[in-house]
Amino acid sequence: MPTNYSFTAETGEPDSVEMTGPAADSGGRRLCVLGTGDFGRAIAKRAVTCGYSVTMGARSKDKRPDMLKLIEATGAKLKTQLDAIASAEMVVVAISSNFYDSLPLQALSNKVLIDVSNSNTGSGRTPSLRSNAERLQELVPSAIVVKSFNLLSAYLLESGGIQGSKELPVATDSDRGRQMVTALIRDLGFSPVDMGPLRMARDIERMPLEFFTDWRGAATVVGTIFIVFYIFNVFKFQFCKNLTVNKTWQWEPFKDLLMTTFNRNLAVVALTVLGAIYLPGVIAGYIQLYRGTKYSRFPGWLDRWLRMRKQMGLLMLAMGAVHGCISLGIYHPHHQYDWLFGAPKIIRTEVQVNGTYFETQPVDIWYHRPNWRGELFLTTGALSLCLVAILGIGSLPSVTARLTWREFTFIQSKLGWSALLVASVHDAVLGWKFMLVTYNCYMPTGLQMALYLPTLCVVGKAILLLPPLNRRLMKIRSGWVDTAAVSPA
């Protein structure tokens, strides 16, 4: 792209950088960007790429040669703040809110100002009585201030790619400003979300500072289940075994704490969480049948449970993947899984004892190929992990955006229930002999506990699939209201 430099007479430094080419001839699509930092250059480059004529305004006319090259690479023009503001009706204020007072405020009158700053409080939880956007509006009362673009980083804004469909909130008190900025957001390849008046900028500015807000509930629930089950398993396999089986206290069982017991716990928790993901949907179905309508709100606890299912599913996928990896390392007849393999051959041979002394002992020669039960156990385990991986991938926004509603429902419902059933078979194949017995302090086995919630889900779902109940539920979810069942307001 050709570049024209103009120089000051006093210093010989470039006074402005004029870029010529397609972006310079973009007609009425003009944009001013105040600030030559990383974010300002990133949004300028993105806008130029999308066909806008962009002018960047700098406080000082003197710029280092390396900075001039960075600005030149965006395809924008570099001018003083006053000249840049005069060149366009929309102005992106890409400077720190601490320097709003230093802007040529008079020149910003009657302009559409896009505030891209974030909260200065340093915490997403800290309430703010006034947003940066509201402060800017007070400084320039005649301008139209619009809050947007603050959820993007400079790097991802410039590179595009994975954030090509990202939703950007928009808040302003002006319909005209909302329309102009919404059009700009769409032109730059993003999806605008109307958040209402400018006071909503307080919430928008805190969004980038939030730390796994949507994950806290799911992480708390899954973490609590994991810790409770792990303590239970440690007490059962490490302590109760010494108290009820071993005649004397032995430290040998404690060697299994970091792998065998941990892996058992992963399996139990993963299957329990998978059941907990589909149980609230079953409960919601019974509530809708009882109320005769889908238009009444669910109880608060059920609503929160339904909303955290995605995060619970991804945590369950992580535990299932780790369980599969560890199982590959310990799945052999010598590691307490001899019932999944063929019976060993027993030979008598000389075995070295205490260095140089040998004695004749029986030795087991294992047949390392799994029997039919072992093969079914491995197959169902691999298949269930594959299905939950598809569920996890299907929940990603970039994938969901390309799925039809029917495709999304098939993955999350049909494949989800299939994963629950296959994982339950995987558990039952391994422990069908231990389902009605107790071990070590008369405690149930982990294989039993892992099936409690899945069994409850399957039974509850099977009842809902009975033709009379299913027909009624489908009518309700299609919008039909049973006036006899709905109590008057």
Side-chain angles (χ1 to χ4, degrees):
M1 180 178 292
T3 307
N4 296 327
Y5 294 91
S6 62
F7 296 86
T8 59
E10 296 84 0
T11 64
E13 293 294 329
D15 181 30
S16 64
V17 183
E18 297 288 340
M19 310 289 180
T20 62
D25 302 322
S26 54
R29 302 215 305 172
R30 300 181 182 278
L31 187 68
C32 167
V33 178
L34 296 182
T36 57
D38 293 339
F39 191 89
R41 295 196 309 272
I43 197 170
K45 182 176 180 180
R46 181 91 174 199
V48 169
T49 303
C50 295
Y52 278 77
S53 177
V54 182
T55 305
M56 301 189 69
R59 286 179 296 176
S60 173
K61 294 186 294 184
D62 297 330
K63 290 290 179 183
R64 301 189 310 272
D66 55 345
M67 176 60 71
L68 289 173
K69 290 181 179 179
L70 292 174
I71 296 172
E72 178 183 354
T74 66
K77 306 172 185 178
L78 177 63
K79 294 185 178 182
T80 62
Q81 287 184 343
L82 285 173
D83 291 338
I85 293 170
S87 68
E89 186 177 6
M90 274 195 301
V91 179
V92 178
V93 183
I95 66 173
S96 171
S97 59
N98 297 325
F99 299 103
Y100 283 174
D101 294 332
S102 66
L103 291 170
L105 302 178
Q106 192 66 32
L108 294 174
S109 300
N110 302 317
K111 299 287 185 178
V112 176
L113 308 182
I114 305 174
D115 182 81
V116 301
S117 64
N118 291 318
S119 174
N120 296 324
T121 60
S123 172
R125 292 183 176 181
T126 305
S128 177
L129 298 179
R130 185 180 62 167
S131 65
N132 294 330
E134 289 174 301
R135 176 169 169 260
L136 181 60
Q137 183 70 83
E138 292 177 2
L139 291 173
V140 194
S142 61
I144 297 174
V145 177
V146 183
K147 186 71 189 184
S148 192
F149 286 101
N150 64 304
L151 299 189
L152 294 171
S153 67
Y155 171 77
L156 293 175
L157 178 63
E158 185 174 10
S159 60
I162 63 173
Q163 287 202 351
S165 61
K166 184 176 180 65
E167 294 181 340
L168 298 182
V170 179
T172 180
D173 293 329
S174 168
D175 291 337
R176 175 168 162 267
R178 182 177 289 105
Q179 292 173 2
M180 293 178 65
V181 176
T182 294
L184 174 65
I185 291 173
R186 289 198 177 101
D187 288 342
L188 268 55
F190 303 104
S191 301
V193 178
D194 186 6
M195 296 288 288
L198 189 61
R199 66 174 180 270
M200 295 302 298
R202 304 171 191 177
D203 295 330
I204 297 174
E205 289 180 4
R206 290 196 297 267
M207 287 180 182
L209 303 178
E210 294 175 348
F211 189 75
F212 293 109
T213 303
D214 294 337
W215 288 79
R216 291 172 187 167
T220 300
V221 171
V222 175
T224 301
I225 294 174
F226 185 90
I227 292 173
V228 170
F229 277 128
Y230 192 71
I231 293 174
F232 176 87
N233 282 318
V234 170
F235 183 76
K236 175 183 175 182
F237 290 105
Q238 273 68 45
F239 288 94
C240 278
K241 192 172 182 179
N242 272 309
L243 295 174
T244 60
V245 178
N246 301 330
K247 295 180 179 180
T248 59
W249 183 270
Q250 297 181 9
W251 291 104
E252 186 70 21
F254 288 89
K255 294 181 179 179
D256 296 335
L257 272 175
L258 298 180
M259 188 168 70
T260 304
T261 302
F262 180 74
N263 191 49
R264 285 171 174 158
N265 197 61
L266 283 173
V268 173
V269 175
L271 188 50
T272 299
V273 172
L274 185 57
I277 292 170
Y278 286 93
L279 184 58
V282 175
I283 297 174
Y286 283 102
I287 291 177
Q288 290 175 335
L289 283 173
Y290 174 75
R291 293 178 175 177
T293 178
K294 71 172 185 178
Y295 297 111
S296 61
R297 293 188 62 85
F298 293 126
W301 59 269
L302 181 58
D303 185 65
R304 291 189 294 271
W305 192 355
L306 289 166
R307 292 176 184 274
M308 70 172 66
R309 288 182 299 173
K310 173 183 175 180
Q311 289 77 19
M312 292 176 65
L314 293 175
L315 292 173
M316 178 273 302
L317 172 59
M319 290 187 294
V322 175
H323 168 66
C325 292
I326 295 179
S327 296
L328 288 177
I330 64 177
Y331 182 73
H332 54 77
H334 303 282
H335 200 89
Q336 305 176 16
Y337 296 111
D338 52 307
W339 61 87
L340 300 177
F341 295 84
K345 293 182 179 179
I346 302 176
I347 64 173
R348 296 186 65 84
T349 185
E350 294 291 321
V351 178
Q352 184 178 5
V353 181
N354 296 330
T356 59
Y357 175 72
F358 287 82
E359 65 179 27
T360 302
Q361 293 183 2
V363 177
D364 294 335
I365 305 298
W366 290 97
Y367 184 56
H368 284 269
R369 181 174 178 177
N371 55 28
W372 69 268
R373 183 180 170 195
E375 290 191 355
L376 182 59
F377 167 74
L378 283 176
T379 301
T380 52
L383 183 58
S384 60
L385 182 57
C386 176
L387 289 172
V388 296
I390 295 175
L391 292 176
I393 295 172
S395 66
L396 298 177
S398 58
V399 178
T400 303
R402 295 183 176 272
L403 296 174
T404 65
W405 175 249
R406 186 178 181 184
E407 292 168 342
F408 178 79
T409 304
F410 173 79
I411 292 176
Q412 299 300 326
S413 179
K414 301 297 190 298
L415 292 187
W417 279 100
S418 298
L420 182 64
L421 290 173
V422 174
S424 299
V425 172
H426 170 69
D427 178 271
V429 168
L430 178 63
W432 66 273
K433 289 185 177 180
F434 311 102
M435 289 301 170
L436 300 177
V437 297
T438 58
Y439 284 93
N440 301 345
C441 298
Y442 304 100
M443 292 182 172
T445 64
L447 297 165
Q448 294 177 31
M449 296 188 298
L451 290 178
Y452 291 162
L453 273 186
T455 301
L456 183 60
C457 287
V458 172
V459 173
K461 183 67 172 180
I463 295 174
L464 289 178
L465 290 177
L466 294 175
L469 293 179
N470 187 56
R471 284 195 298 267
R472 176 180 170 84
L473 184 58
M474 292 301 101
K475 285 177 62 178
I476 291 173
R477 289 178 174 175
S478 298
W480 176 74
V481 177
D482 185 356
T483 55
V486 178
S487 59

